[in-house]
Amino acid sequence: MLDDESALFFEEMAGVVPLKGDVKAVNLQPKALTDEQLQRREALQREAYLACMPLDLSLIPIIAPDDIASFKREGVQGAVFKRLRLGQYSIKMELDVHAYRLSQARDALLNYLLAAQAHGERCVMLIHGKGHNSKPVAGLLKSAVCHWLSLLDMVLAYHSAKTEQGGTGALYVMLTKSEQLKIENKEANRKGMGWR
């Protein structure tokens, strides 16, 4: 005797024809990338980022040395941004580029952000200096760093640091999760939910 659930199942399956044996099943699970593929992907991503980070001074909006720098992507909640602005997130990584030339700062900044993101850091400190005496324009490196950060999709928000942590010569920077961490979290959530 069938219970109600089984009877309902067989009723719904009436008329369904089994697949023939020569039809192959398709695995929709993504294949893990090899180390070589990951390295190629990272190199391409790095080149794409560098291409969108201009060194041409005419493309960089200038910020005065003592002006507060602030940026927030759409979707970043106000309370989250307020905590960033107030320096309330734990910061374990810091980079100081204030004495670098523009091209050196760009390379160091990108390497730093990619490394921080790969290590799962979500909030980092970046010291760019104020640039009162920079040539040909005051605040040049600060302006470039802020412009570059706003162009990188891995950056959710940034804000000038509190006075005791560098003030307008430093930034708190909030990062997205790395793709690898997103995959790992999705996998952990799937296992935690009992999915197979």
Side-chain angles (χ1 to χ4, degrees):
M1 180 91 184
L2 297 174
D3 61 16
D4 289 338
E5 205 170 296
S6 296
L8 184 60
F9 173 77
F10 285 117
E11 184 179 312
E12 290 294 320
M13 292 293 109
V16 173
V17 179
L19 295 173
K20 294 183 181 177
D22 59 348
V23 176
K24 296 189 181 201
V26 177
N27 181 2
L28 298 178
Q29 293 290 337
K31 291 183 178 179
L33 297 176
T34 65
D35 286 341
E36 185 178 308
Q37 289 170 320
L38 285 172
Q39 288 173 353
R40 267 198 311 257
R41 179 183 279 183
E42 288 169 4
L44 287 172
Q45 180 186 39
R46 187 177 189 290
E47 290 305 312
Y49 280 137
L50 285 174
C52 80
M53 298 168 73
L55 293 173
D56 182 345
L57 302 184
S58 68
L59 300 175
I60 299 171
I62 300 301
I63 301 171
D66 293 317
D67 284 355
I68 292 174
S70 184
F71 169 81
K72 175 176 79 106
R73 289 207 188 280
E74 190 173 319
V76 175
Q77 297 175 350
V80 170
F81 188 67
K82 181 178 180 182
R83 285 191 67 199
L84 177 71
R85 181 175 54 83
L86 296 174
Q88 294 177 342
Y89 287 107
S90 172
I91 295 176
K92 297 176 187 160
M93 291 180 69
E94 180 179 297
L95 175 68
D96 185 346
V97 297
H98 87 277
Y100 288 28
R101 289 192 307 261
L102 214 53
S103 60
Q104 291 173 319
R106 183 181 71 162
D107 289 344
L109 172 67
L110 183 58
N111 291 338
Y112 168 70
L113 294 176
L114 289 170
Q117 191 181 47
H119 285 95
E121 296 301 323
R122 298 295 307 279
C123 189
V124 296
M125 172 77 78
L126 182 60
I127 301 165
H128 47 66
K130 294 181 182 182
H132 283 288
N133 299 318
S134 64
K135 304 282 186 221
V137 63
L140 176 61
L141 185 58
K142 172 182 179 171
S143 301
V145 165
C146 290
H147 183 60
W148 295 333
L149 291 174
S150 70
L151 298 173
L152 300 175
D153 59 6
M154 74 175 93
V155 175
L156 290 173
Y158 65 75
H159 196 281
S160 291
K162 295 185 333 186
T163 304
E164 61 271 19
Q165 290 185 300
T168 58
L171 294 170
Y172 304 126
V173 181
M174 181 174 286
L175 303 174
T176 61
K177 286 183 183 175
S178 71
E179 288 302 314
Q180 184 61 36
L181 286 176
K182 287 179 187 176
I183 291 168
E184 289 170 8
N185 287 345
K186 190 181 280 188
E187 183 67 21
N189 288 339
R190 191 179 63 112
K191 287 180 179 177
M193 300 291 281
W195 297 344
R196 295 181 191 245

